[in-house]
Amino acid sequence: MNIRTDLYIAKRNMAQVKEILKTSTDLSDGDRHQITLALNRLPEWLNMPLEQIPGEAPQLRELLKHLFPARLNVSPKTFANLKSHWLKAILITSGQEDVNNCLLRREWHVFGFSSQYDFRTYLMPAARYFSCREVLPHQVTDLCMQDYFRYRSLTSLRKKLDNIIRPTLIAWNCFADEHPELELNHVTVSARRNGPTLPDIEKLPTTFGTEVYQLLNWCECRDIFADDARTRPLSVSSRVGLKLDIKRAVSALIKNGIGRNEIDSLKILFIKENFKAILSYYMGDRLEPKPVFDLALSLFLVARDFLRLDPNQLEELKRIVYKSPRRPAVMAPRNEVKLAVFDDPAYLLRLVKTPTLLWILVREGDPKSAWTMAKAHAALAICILIYMPIRLANLASLSWDRHIYLRPAGQSRLVIPAHENKSGTALDFDIPPTLAEMLLEYREKIAPNAMGGPSKYLFFGSNGLPKGDAQVARLVKEYTERFVGVPLNPHIFRHLCAKIILDADPGAHVLVQQLLGHKNLSTTVNFYAGYEPKRGQRHHQKLLEESISAGLEGIQVKRERDARD
């Protein structure tokens, strides 16, 4: 249930809204003054005059997506209050009804007495809307919900408006189950993601599925004594990626006209014409081909190491693989933009202070609250990444006395075994004292209060099992956006650490390699080489300025000596 607002054309601007407010009789003098002050902030923050700022909620919401409270040096609460003033100005001057000012009908009061947070958060705004429209609870249907979400899209400045749709629908159905006496209709809950687009291996011929099963077992080294056994097992993420690559290859063949029943063996993928068809399908436009080298190489290794095809056939496949366009070994443009922000030392200072500020909130919060645990996990994850930029998969799976060794009277350590690291190299870090104190307090006090006992994992969910990579990444991104003003995913911390080192010492690629755990120095050099001219120029400028300064001091000393003589 996605609401389209991009076709909604703005008819007014905020300058007109401000003029209408001056003569509005729906506001007290105090409210008018507060709203006017809030409107005066928009030109400075959006870098455009009020005449160019749309006076309609959908268009203004798109502009506000690029504003972050931390960058504006205001608290999230202050920013939320300002958004409330802007929205109030839009609603009053457009004559739209603000359902928050409507009296709640008696039939809807039961929604406000619920003790569950989700019910109050998501259902009360809906209850006010339906009450204002004189719709009774038992009359709400899918069509009513669509009208409600359309109203929210036109009268809300919430940044991620789509995120309220699914939780609201789920909360409604749960409330209906808990209160059968209300006879509420269940509504249709939209899927979290679109349906699968890749073919299901189980629906292909049995022989193909059997070969894929044998391949995954071989990757896992189930039989270490087999003649063709691998020297070491593939990681779980690599095995999942390999299975996806096979599904992509099968999908390409099906879309090229090959029937499902014809795909009865993995060897079908490696017929020369089929192999070229798979890669051509994913390359897309020949003028700007998409990089498919990783897919080609992944499939080729299956043909070479598992199927052990004829050497002549492998040679032909290899030639095709190395003709495939590769992904350039450079940083993604979106990451470059985020890193450029840290040229301003104020942002780096905010980032370093974020774990400390979050930890204060953790100590003040309810120890059994899920929100408190989320802040604790975010604080620890961000602090670890600042000092020890490990990969997300390693971060999410950290556990006590396997990866983290706390020594209250000695040096605490964080260790990543070689077989758990993507590059195959072991990592061993000394944990800074401040972080060690946070980890010790978390293990001894905070985690047991939340779990009712000790936890094996650093980042755990309500079931006691480790949180997934996506959950940890979301926490890091959410709280860096809130406290720093830049949403950072965990991998950007690796680039940031490299940037800090190379900015201070251009050419220190060996140090970066050791910190990031790259197996080969060439990986580090190639990836960050594109930024060396700028760093070299900065270093040259610094040396030049020092030389000029030293020369001027020498001339001044000589003049003073000559004057004395």
Side-chain angles (χ1 to χ4, degrees), residues 17 40 122 154 217 279 337 375 406 420 448 451 473 542 550:
V17 169
N40 291 338
Y122 295 111
L154 299 178
N217 285 343
L279 301 182
V337 172
K375 293 182 178 69
L406 295 181
E420 294 184 18
M451 282 287 296
K542 180 181 177 182

Side-chain angles (χ1 to χ4, degrees), residues 11-29 31-33 35-36 39 50-51 53-56 85-96:
K11 300 177 182 178
R12 299 174 303 149
N13 58 55
M14 294 305 282
Q16 294 170 330
V17 169
K18 187 176 178 180
E19 285 299 318
I20 297 173
L21 282 176
K22 292 180 180 179
T23 57
S24 174
T25 59
D26 296 330
L27 290 171
S28 65
D29 291 340
D31 286 345
R32 184 181 292 105
H33 177 67
I35 292 175
T36 302
L39 291 175
L50 281 175
E51 289 77 10
I53 300 175
E56 307 290 345
H85 288 319
W86 298 329
L87 181 61
K88 190 173 184 178
I90 290 173
L91 294 180
I92 289 176
T93 56
S94 64
Q96 297 184 63

Side-chain angles (χ1 to χ4, degrees), residues 111 116-128 130 145 148-149 152 158 160-172 371:
F111 289 83
Q116 292 197 31
Y117 173 82
D118 285 355
F119 290 165
R120 297 196 309 274
T121 302
Y122 295 111
L123 296 187
M124 280 307 297
R128 293 191 187 97
F130 293 129
M145 282 293 185
Y148 165 64
F149 292 131
R152 290 295 301 269
R158 186 185 178 104
K160 298 177 181 178
L161 193 59
D162 286 344
N163 288 357
I164 71 169
I165 296 177
R166 182 178 168 84
T168 300
L169 298 173
I170 292 175
W172 178 271
W371 295 106

Side-chain angles (χ1 to χ4, degrees), residues 171-232:
W172 178 271
N173 288 342
C174 291
F175 195 86
D177 292 337
E178 291 189 8
H179 298 273
E181 71 279 2
L182 297 178
E183 299 181 353
L184 302 178
N185 298 315
H186 281 71
V187 293
T188 304
V189 179
S190 54
R192 184 183 298 275
R193 296 187 178 94
N194 295 328
T197 56
L198 297 177
D200 188 352
I201 291 178
E202 294 181 358
K203 295 182 179 179
L204 297 172
T206 306
T207 51
F208 185 86
T210 301
E211 287 189 8
V212 173
Y213 177 75
Q214 293 171 350
L215 168 63
L216 297 177
N217 285 343
W218 175 78
C219 292
E220 200 175 346
C221 289
R222 289 283 184 89
D223 184 2
I224 61 174
F225 299 110
D227 294 337
D228 62 345
R230 291 177 53 87
T231 55
R232 69 187 183 99

